[in-house]
Amino acid sequence: MTAVPAPLPPGSTIGILGGGQLGRMLSQAASRLGFDVVILDPEENSPAGRVSRGQIVAAYDDPTALSVFGRVCDVVTFEFENVPAASVELLAEAGALVAPGPTALAVAQDRIDEKTFLNAVGATTVAFAAVDRADDITANLDQVGLPCLLKTRRDGYDGKGQVWIRDAADVPEAWAAIGGRPAILEARAAFTRELSIIAARGRDGSVAVYPLGENHHAGGVLRTTHAPARVDAKTLKRAKAIATAVLEGLAYVGVVGIELFDLGNGKLLVNEIAPRVHNTGHWTQDGCVCDQFEQHIRAVAGWPLGPTTAHARVEMTNLLGDEIEQWSNLAARPDQRLHLYGKSEARPGRKMAHVNRVTSL
């Protein structure tokens, strides 16, 4: 049996692959716990780099940069799942302590592998089929049913890389729309709402689960999360079981976000998993004593997991593009907490900040 590494003491260095807003908020949480943080990101002066001890400016697959990064950091984690899994494997093979591990990253990066894993651990998904060419779509329409969703097998996020197929005649156009890339064909889920659950697993195997959030999207992008979501005991029990199965099935260390389709009567399907802190967990910053960012740092550093009970009700809203110009008015609201990401350019649809509106439970 492999020994569990000793908890990292304050003053240790945590490395984060990725310098965006999630890395920034992870770095801020780590600083509160007395850790130093080093970022590896190809963008100079990244949002996370500016609030950290230092940043290595290099590509995620730069072997020299990864070697230096692994040597200066006591543990390495990542802020988003599109970091090359091979880079995480290289760090682990060189002896760096990496959490979550490369297996979780690899599973989450491939939608076929992800859904195969989920069903294997009892976290049911919609029916699906692998697609390597346009003919595969047509051949699987009877199995999956219409309408169905065609998604690129890798890389897509925030509604990108996916298209609905409502008729067999749509197949050629849909295939062209995703660039003729390897894909997954997914059955439509007849769900009443989307829920998500944020959960964590420590190095000692302990599991902590936050209350569910209810999510609302526009244009494929998350706009709001209401938490704690109003759910019955049966639904909550099932969501916790799914989270535990995913965490234990991956021997996971850290925080994971799991998006769920609520079919009613306690029946849930898993849409996808994110092996990192998650946009739908931002509400925990102002609704819980220990938010998802501190929880992730605690887990990867080998500390005890923090409490997950909500002490307030929160409506989290993403600010996209030039909506950030509302910052002055939002900052003046006594019932709201504004979290800005420090990004220099407000491009249309780009996540620039979020605001948590806090009310009593």
Side-chain angles (χ1 to χ4, degrees):
M1 182 175 177
T2 303
V4 177
L8 296 179
S12 301
T13 298
I14 294 178
I16 301 175
L17 288 163
Q21 70 264 22
L22 299 180
R24 182 184 179 97
M25 289 181 278
L26 282 169
S27 181
Q28 292 167 326
S31 295
R32 291 197 304 272
L33 298 180
F35 294 109
D36 291 332
V37 176
V38 174
I39 304 296
L40 193 155
D41 190 281
E43 178 189 336
E44 190 173 355
N45 202 32
S46 70
R50 295 202 306 277
V51 299
S52 301
R53 179 180 180 184
Q55 178 182 337
I56 297 172
V57 180
Y60 296 123
D61 58 356
D62 183 317
T64 301
L66 288 169
S67 177
V68 172
F69 190 58
R71 289 200 303 272
V72 302
C73 299
D74 295 294
V75 66
V76 172
T77 189
F78 42 86
E79 68 141 8
F80 73 124
E81 61 266 45
N82 288 333
V83 171
S87 297
V88 177
E89 289 172 359
L90 184 64
L91 284 165
E93 288 168 0
L97 188 60
V98 182
T103 300
L105 189 62
V107 166
Q109 285 181 344
D110 186 300
R111 289 189 170 94
I112 296 293
D113 291 346
E114 178 184 53
K115 281 188 164 49
T116 301
F117 161 77
L118 287 168
N119 284 284
V121 297
T124 312
T125 71
V126 296
F128 65 96
V131 171
D132 293 311
R133 53 188 180 274
D135 288 349
D136 292 337
I137 304 174
T138 304
N140 285 286
L141 286 180
D142 286 343
Q143 171 201 337
V144 173
L146 289 168
C148 55
L149 189 59
L150 182 69
K151 296 180 180 178
T152 52
R153 190 162 170 168
R154 305 175 70 89
D155 297 335
Y157 65 96
D158 285 348
K160 299 177 177 66
Q162 62 184 52
V163 59
W164 281 99
I165 297 174
R166 304 187 184 282
D167 186 272
D170 298 338
V171 169
E173 185 177 347
W175 181 242
I178 65 164
R181 299 162 61 191
I184 183 172
L185 192 66
E186 297 182 358
R188 178 178 178 273
F191 61 98
T192 58
R193 57 179 175 169
E194 182 190 285
L195 300 171
S196 58
I197 191 162
I198 306 298
R201 184 173 180 270
R203 291 198 177 279
D204 61 357
S206 59
V207 172
V209 180
Y210 287 92
L212 289 161
E214 180 174 339
N215 308 316
H216 301 273
H217 295 75
V221 180
L222 179 71
R223 293 298 293 177
T224 62
T225 295
H226 298 261
R230 301 184 190 280
V231 297
D232 58 32
K234 188 176 181 180
T235 300
L236 180 59
K237 181 179 179 181
R238 177 59 184 150
K240 288 182 175 179
I242 288 171
T244 301
V246 169
L247 291 167
E248 293 182 348
L250 291 170
Y252 196 91
V253 173
V255 164
V256 68
I258 306 174
E259 296 177 0
L260 304 164
F261 293 138
D262 183 5
L263 307 186
N265 196 31
K267 295 181 180 177
L268 299 170
L269 297 178
V270 180
N271 179 24
E272 62 183 27
I273 59 175
R276 53 173 171 81
V277 288
H278 197 252
N279 196 170
T280 64
H282 291 353
W283 72 272
T284 62
Q285 289 174 297
D286 300 300
C288 299
V289 172
C290 179
D291 67 38
Q292 65 164 344
F293 300 100
E294 178 179 326
Q295 192 77 282
H296 187 77
I297 297 300
R298 282 173 168 266
V300 303
W303 285 28
L305 298 182
T308 56
T309 303
H311 60 68
R313 191 169 299 282
V314 179
E315 179 186 286
M316 188 284 302
T317 301
N318 280 324
L319 300 183
L320 309 179
D322 60 10
E323 292 174 353
I324 191 62
E325 300 303 326
Q326 305 170 32
W327 67 266
S328 181
N329 291 333
L330 292 169
R333 294 283 302 272
D335 63 335
Q336 296 188 350
R337 290 285 306 282
L338 183 60
H339 300 264
L340 297 114
Y341 301 156
K343 295 180 179 179
S344 58
E345 184 183 359
R347 297 192 297 268
R350 190 183 196 193
K351 292 174 181 173
M352 300 297 296
H354 67 271
V355 62
N356 283 336
R357 186 170 67 87
V358 182
T359 56
S360 59
L361 283 171

